[in-house]
Amino acid sequence: MTLRLAGEAGQGVESGGAGFAQALSHGGLWLHTYTEYMSRIRGGLNFFQIRVSDHPLWSHTEGTNILVAFSPEAVRDYGPHIVPGGALLHDEGLKFDHDAVARRGTQLFPMPLTKIAQEVGGNKIMMNTAGLGALAGIIEYPFEFVADVIKKNFKRKGDAVVEGNLKVAAEGYRIAQERYAASFDWKVSPLDARPHRMLINGNQALSVGAIAAGCRFMSGYPMTPASSILEFMASHARKYDIVVKQTEDEIAAICMAIGAGNAGARAMTATSGGGFSLMVEALGLAGMAEVPVVIVEAQRPGPSTGMPTKTEQGDLLFALFASQGEFPRIVLAPGTQEECFHAAARAFNLAEKWQCPVIVMTDFYLTTSMRTLLPSEFPIEHVTIDRGELLTSEQLDRLAGPYLRYKDTPSGISPRALPGHPKAVHQACSDEHDEYGHFEDEDAANRLKMAGKRMRKFRNIVEDLRAPTIYGPERAEVTLMGWGSSYGAMREAVDLLNARGVRANMLHFVDLWPFPEAKAAPLIEAARQLVAVEGNQTGQFAHLVRAMTGRRADRLVLRWDGRPLSPEYILATLEEAKVHA
Amino acid sequence: MLDLKLYNNPVKVTWCPGCGDYGILNAVKSALAQLEIYPHEVLFFSGIGCGSKLPDYVNAIAFTTIHGRALPIAMGAKLANHDLHVICITGDGDGYGIGGNHFLNILRRNPDVVHIAENNMVYGLTKGQYAPTSQRGFVTSTTPEGSIEIAFNPLTTAINGGATFVARGFSGDPKHLAKLIMAAIQHKGYALVDVLQPCVIYNKINTYDYYRERVYKLEEAGHDPADRSAAMQRAQEWGDRIPIGIVYQATGEPTYEDQVAALRAGPLAKRRLAPLGPEQAEALRREFF
Ligand SMILES: Cc1ncc(C[n+]2csc(CCOP(=O)(O)OP(=O)(O)O)c2C)c(N)n1
């Protein structure tokens, strides 16, 4: 079932929702949370929804079983999302069109939330605590789990606040259970098995991956939905020996990371499409000067400022081809929170091994959605750290000839020496250069040699990249194909299709560029009906696949209204197109 | 004093005969030799422009980057390895125009970085357009009726913006310039050395003779660089008399690197990279329980 809390910014929808999610997670339940907020600090309309189940979840779904509404707009906009037989829980004083809601078959559960907050807690502010208590009462989720989270989360604010909130929540719970539990069909009970699990979103998982990989330097400029990476890294800088720098703009952000990366610190920056646009010239510098740097591109709908707090996968081809000229880069697009962790950890290795920029693409949906995951999905202590062909000072001591920073080698990789060794005085260079790194921006033969060397890397990188993952039965009638954050929606859509008797499977790409053609082409060719599923308007990945393999997707399932792909959306679009009629 | 030949490399210099950049190149090498800084102990950065080719002509570690971006790249490198001397070479268009935002921000941050700005008051490499530092009325291909903007003053901006060391040199006096560069390298914190650099092709106003008639040395004029308001006054002086020397110096200010907790245990680039231990890993996971 899905629970949704909605109200104005500042009404504690997000923090209350996250607390409730913790309470459910501690009961062993599996969650997927999804949040939408307006691009403003106070007022507006926000929601935080929790899908809860007794088995692992991959995606949000459309439809809400119970909506806790703290504002009239929340009822107006989200009331229609309530499923038949579902309920609207609200303060008894909230003004909205009761008849309109009742006409849709929604049950109304008015509660004296403000009154409880005031009379029991002594402060109106606790009304969302009353609401959460009431919510737990209606779904008959044991109060102790809610109480534990209140104790934990309000501890900092002192005993009086903890006591007040506990009393308010308990009163909300008691009244709501008494009045409404019997008429609400959906219940949530803790599971017997309650192993420790993590409740983590994409940006957090990616940051943990970066820390695990030994990221030592991060520079960034705030931009939704990437900012929380910079904030997470800043809050962990002291503990994990990381220099974190907010810069004057995104140009400086990538430039500082390039400076640090070239000097030997594992470095990254994170931004969204607008900031990435500013980074493009320096991206080319990292390509030309062969500097390892990791760039997170957390997409939101463009063009320009677009929809700052909504989601889209519209920057794919931009990320692949941004910058003048041709040079190797690597593009990864994790599909899930756990893949964010692994992609970040891999990105640092790939960047140092191939001495090139690595772009990790996510989007608003993935960065903000949390899932419950077993800690074993985050093997922090077991990540591999591979710095590639990095010469040690002993190797440099023994160096017979001059050190060639851009030595032409069969792999295209020129062994790297960090600045500071007497035998490795060298120049990194943004102009075309010779093997020493000195300007050689005229000579044709040198150009062929050096550009050839760089592109040799590009052709070899693909060996290090992974095939798409396959989910679902072989020899399917329908194959969904996607990349990045659509993984969960596609996977649940595949399950739904198979349950309905349609043999369906999916191909999901994390490693996008260089396109893993040899590994992917046979899988794509084997698809009977190939359906590209993407969160953009033009089917960018379908274009790429067609360019790389010649295979044209038979159908496109696209979404570009700022909302994430969901299993139901995919199914409805397929039905419209009569894909499995 | 080290042998100056230590800093020579076989690269052929491509500047025009008579270019003011030669004097700067000689002064840079001389400063390094006098301070006995070996080629592997100094990291040069530059942007794009005639002057930005300088690192290519010095045997030292270098990164020649893109137009306007040398300062943030240099700062990133300094934060990654603060054991190295970092010297940033920019043009005036490069450092004050396209890179202006980075200039304003590095002033407030005070990393231990030397910034040598080759100020020829014109765009050299792109063949003679006006620059942010061009004097009002300066006629170029893009300002055929003369520039109608007032010239950017790097010195007052730097002092106002929080720079802890601000100097002006003249490439026609490389010995004096070398002394300024040495002082800049020895200064703990961001140090700007703006260099009056004649462009013999595209700037027929601010020539060697123009400067020779006008420059005077601050140290001979009884100027006290620690006096901020005197420094502001000298920084505004332009016309018949143009001051060169150390205009302003604040001592005892902490550098950016000094204040970053993660750098106390030594340069980032020298840390061993290894996966986190099991306890640290578990602590990180537990944050999400
Ligand atoms: C992004 C970008 N824009 C424009 C240029 C072209 N460009 C190269 S150098 C330069 C200006 C040079 O003037 P300055 O920085 O004063 O250096 P100088 O050549 O005079 O030493 C310009 C505009 C470039 N390389 N990159």
Side-chain angles (χ1 to χ4, degrees):
Chain A
M1 72 176 292
T2 295
L3 323 160
R4 180 183 286 190
L5 309 172
E8 292 179 6
Q11 285 183 328
V13 164
E14 174 109 30
S15 53
F20 203 77
Q22 272 182 342
L24 294 171
S25 172
H26 293 167
L29 293 149
W30 297 91
L31 313 178
H32 178 283
T33 78
Y34 164 47
T35 180
E36 240 181 65
Y37 56 87
M38 284 190 177
S39 185
R40 55 177 89 171
I41 306 307
R42 286 284 176 266
L45 186 54
N46 293 351
F47 75 68
F48 185 93
Q49 74 175 41
I50 304 166
R51 186 175 167 217
V52 50
S53 174
D54 56 5
H55 60 265
L57 298 173
W58 297 95
S59 169
H60 76 297
T61 48
E62 311 277 342
T64 307
N65 299 77
I66 182 161
L67 171 69
V68 186
F70 293 111
S71 76
E73 292 77 18
V75 180
R76 186 194 62 204
D77 287 13
Y78 304 138
H81 299 177
I82 300 170
V83 301
L88 171 66
L89 170 66
H90 60 93
D91 183 60
E92 55 194 12
L94 194 71
K95 292 197 175 47
F96 61 92
D97 185 347
H98 288 235
D99 294 342
V101 179
R103 243 180 282 129
R104 283 192 297 264
T106 298
Q107 306 189 63
L108 291 179
F109 292 169
M111 280 286 298
L113 301 178
T114 320
K115 208 169 138 226
I116 298 173
Q118 243 151 4
E119 288 176 7
V120 180
N123 195 338
K124 234 177 79 178
I125 237 189
M126 295 184 197
M127 95 170 252
N128 79 7
T129 305
L132 293 172
L135 179 60
I138 292 166
I139 62 174
E140 300 197 288
Y141 187 67
F143 183 71
E144 68 208 60
F145 290 98
V146 179
D148 283 347
V149 169
I150 290 176
K151 282 180 212 154
K152 189 176 140 212
N153 292 1
F154 287 107
K155 197 172 152 198
R156 268 183 309 127
K157 299 194 175 163
D159 290 346
V161 178
V162 172
E163 273 313 301
N165 277 285
L166 279 175
K167 277 199 241 151
V168 165
E171 187 64 359
Y173 190 97
R174 189 186 64 78
I175 298 177
Q177 186 181 26
E178 232 169 70
R179 291 195 197 163
Y180 304 121
S183 55
F184 190 70
D185 290 345
W186 292 276
K187 302 292 166 204
V188 179
S189 336
L191 303 182
D192 295 338
R194 293 172 209 161
H196 280 303
R197 268 109 27 90
M198 296 161 72
L199 185 60
I200 189 166
N201 70 30
N203 271 356
Q204 292 166 335
L206 197 148
S207 308
V208 170
I211 293 174
C215 173
R216 285 274 174 270
F217 186 90
M218 173 167 190
S219 41
Y221 186 83
M223 186 168 190
T224 304
S227 313
S228 60
I229 301 176
L230 186 64
E231 290 165 345
F232 186 95
M233 297 300 278
S235 67
H236 289 71
R238 205 174 252 275
K239 197 159 173 200
Y240 297 98
D241 270 352
I242 308 163
V243 173
V244 179
K245 182 83 201 82
Q246 180 179 328
T247 55
E248 56 272 29
D249 58 24
E250 286 87 349
I251 301 177
I254 188 170
C255 283
M256 280 198 199
I258 287 172
N262 189 59
R266 288 197 151 189
M268 82 164 170
T269 182
T271 185
S272 189
F276 185 67
S277 299
L278 291 182
M279 293 183 178
V280 168
E281 193 193 13
L283 177 75
L285 170 65
M288 182 55 131
E290 305 193 41
V291 178
V293 61
V294 174
I295 303 150
V296 180
E297 215 274 45
Q299 302 161 95
R300 68 193 213 191
S304 194
T305 312
M307 299 168 85
T309 57
K310 298 291 173 286
T311 201
E312 195 167 276
Q313 295 182 293
D315 298 350
L316 173 66
L317 295 179
F318 177 46
L320 258 49
F321 302 116
S323 170
Q324 71 273 30
E326 299 164 303
F327 59 88
R329 80 186 72 188
I330 297 169
V331 182
L332 309 176
T336 60
Q337 288 74 4
E338 57 275 34
E339 277 178 4
C340 284
F341 167 80
H342 291 289
R346 282 176 68 211
F348 286 92
N349 287 343
L350 290 167
E352 286 206 307
K353 176 166 180 191
W354 296 102
Q355 301 177 29
C356 72
V358 178
I359 302 166
V360 181
M361 298 189 78
T362 60
D363 54 36
F364 183 89
Y365 177 65
L366 182 58
T367 59
T368 53
S369 291
M370 297 194 281
R371 272 169 59 240
T372 34
L373 289 162
L374 288 170
S376 56
E377 301 277 4
F378 293 81
I380 296 167
E381 57 275 63
H382 301 301
V383 299
T384 322
I385 291 181
D386 173 9
R387 304 204 70 183
E389 296 187 37
L390 182 65
L391 297 170
T392 62
S393 38
E394 295 73 46
Q395 285 171 315
L396 286 168
D397 290 341
R398 290 195 301 270
L399 200 71
Y403 171 66
L404 297 179
R405 170 64 190 94
Y406 298 109
K407 190 177 160 121
D408 189 12
T409 62
S411 65
I413 299 174
S414 315
R416 204 156 71 103
L418 299 185
H421 192 280
K423 289 251 190 105
V425 172
H426 66 276
Q427 176 164 292
C429 192
S430 111
D431 274 60
E432 188 57 276
H433 41 262
D434 59 18
E435 289 183 283
Y436 289 90
H438 289 302
F439 284 54
E440 186 44 89
D441 47 11
E442 306 282 343
D443 188 66
N446 179 72
R447 168 67 171 181
L448 291 178
K449 177 163 137 177
M450 299 310 288
K453 177 196 104 71
R454 289 190 294 271
M455 266 306 150
R456 206 172 307 133
K457 289 196 298 184
F458 186 69
R459 282 189 290 276
N460 290 330
I461 289 169
V462 84
E463 304 291 322
D464 262 359
L465 298 191
R466 298 178 183 171
T469 52
I470 308 173
Y471 176 73
E474 279 177 36
R475 292 185 308 280
E477 285 165 58
V478 182
T479 297
L480 305 183
M481 174 179 76
W483 62 280
S485 73
S486 56
Y487 180 88
M490 285 167 55
R491 184 176 165 132
E492 294 208 3
V494 164
D495 288 342
L496 289 170
L497 285 168
N498 284 290
R500 292 183 188 178
V502 181
R503 210 176 158 84
N505 64 10
M506 69 185 255
L507 288 179
H508 180 268
F509 287 77
V510 173
D511 294 13
L512 301 179
W513 196 252
F515 188 76
E517 194 184 326
K519 290 165 188 156
L523 302 171
I524 292 169
E525 271 149 30
R528 276 196 231 162
Q529 276 207 76
L530 184 65
V531 180
V533 181
E534 296 184 58
N536 59 48
Q537 199 172 0
T538 54
Q540 298 186 22
F541 189 65
H543 283 309
L544 181 70
V545 166
R546 193 171 175 205
M548 300 309 299
T549 68
R551 175 71 191 262
R552 183 184 188 143
D554 302 293
R555 298 277 171 202
L556 300 175
V557 172
L558 305 176
R559 184 163 197 176
W560 71 95
D561 59 359
R563 272 67 192 176
L565 287 154
S566 63
E568 294 90 341
Y569 183 93
I570 295 172
L571 259 56
T573 316
L574 288 177
E575 255 152 45
E576 240 170 74
K578 301 204 185 339
V579 162
H580 51 94
Chain B
M1 165 115 186
L2 297 178
D3 186 351
L4 275 172
K5 285 208 257 340
L6 203 54
Y7 309 100
N8 291 350
N9 71 11
V11 178
K12 196 171 150 270
V13 180
T14 56
W15 290 322
C16 308
C19 176
D21 285 334
Y22 288 98
I24 302 175
L25 177 62
N26 292 336
V28 165
K29 288 182 179 177
S30 154
L32 292 176
Q34 292 185 61
L35 291 175
E36 306 197 341
I37 296 171
Y38 283 89
H40 68 278
E41 296 171 336
V42 57
L43 197 41
F44 279 92
F45 289 87
S46 68
I48 295 293
C50 295
S52 285
K53 291 183 179 172
L54 188 146
D56 204 37
Y57 307 142
V58 185
N59 180 45
I61 328 169
F63 190 173
T64 54
T65 73
I66 46 179
H67 195 34
R69 314 301 166 199
L71 290 174
I73 297 174
M75 175 140 179
K78 186 74 191 184
L79 291 173
N81 189 347
H82 56 269
D83 279 355
L84 296 172
H85 293 282
V86 172
I87 301 179
C88 220
I89 311 283
T90 74
D92 48 295
D94 190 64
Y96 304 144
I98 189 169
N101 196 17
H102 310 312
F103 176 60
L104 285 185
N105 281 284
I106 203 163
L107 298 174
R108 323 183 280 117
R109 293 178 181 150
N110 203 36
D112 192 12
V113 165
V114 174
H115 177 188
I116 300 174
E118 301 154 308
N119 187 355
N120 55 10
M121 303 177 184
V122 72
Y123 279 18
L125 194 65
T126 44
K127 300 191 191 290
Q129 302 83 7
Y130 97 111
T133 44
S134 297
Q135 302 298 295
R136 206 172 199 168
F138 190 63
V139 175
T140 72
S141 54
T142 54
T143 52
E145 293 172 54
S147 163
I148 52 181
E149 297 170 7
I150 58 166
F152 178 76
N153 185 332
L155 305 186
T156 53
T157 306
I159 297 168
N160 255 331
T164 52
F165 182 102
V166 180
R168 181 194 274 140
F170 170 41
S171 71
D173 190 347
K175 271 219 176 87
H176 179 251
L177 179 58
K179 292 273 171 266
L180 293 179
I181 295 172
M182 286 168 66
I185 293 173
Q186 284 169 317
H187 175 76
K188 282 265 149 258
Y190 171 81
L192 173 69
V193 184
D194 180 80
V195 186
L196 303 171
Q197 174 237 328
C199 170
V200 293
I201 309 292
Y202 297 113
N203 190 337
K204 306 288 186 195
I205 309 280
N206 309 101
T207 60
Y208 285 101
D209 285 345
Y210 174 92
Y211 289 126
R212 279 198 186 107
E213 282 161 22
R214 290 169 171 82
V215 295
Y216 73 95
K217 294 190 173 124
L218 285 168
E219 57 275 27
E220 292 165 7
H223 173 62
D224 172 13
D227 182 342
R228 201 161 187 271
S229 49
M232 272 313 261
Q233 267 176 4
R234 300 280 184 179
Q236 286 170 68
E237 214 178 331
W238 190 267
D240 293 343
R241 277 166 60 78
I242 299 174
I244 57 174
I246 300 174
V247 182
Y248 179 64
Q249 182 166 20
T251 41
E253 291 293 321
T255 65
Y256 192 92
E257 307 85 88
D258 287 343
Q259 301 171 79
V260 178
L263 297 182
R264 303 236 164 91
L268 296 180
K270 295 188 175 168
R271 308 282 171 81
R272 208 173 65 87
L273 259 192
L276 296 180
E279 281 112 67
Q280 271 186 311
E282 188 58 12
L284 196 46
R285 282 188 293 259
R286 271 182 182 280
E287 290 184 29
F288 301 95
F289 280 4

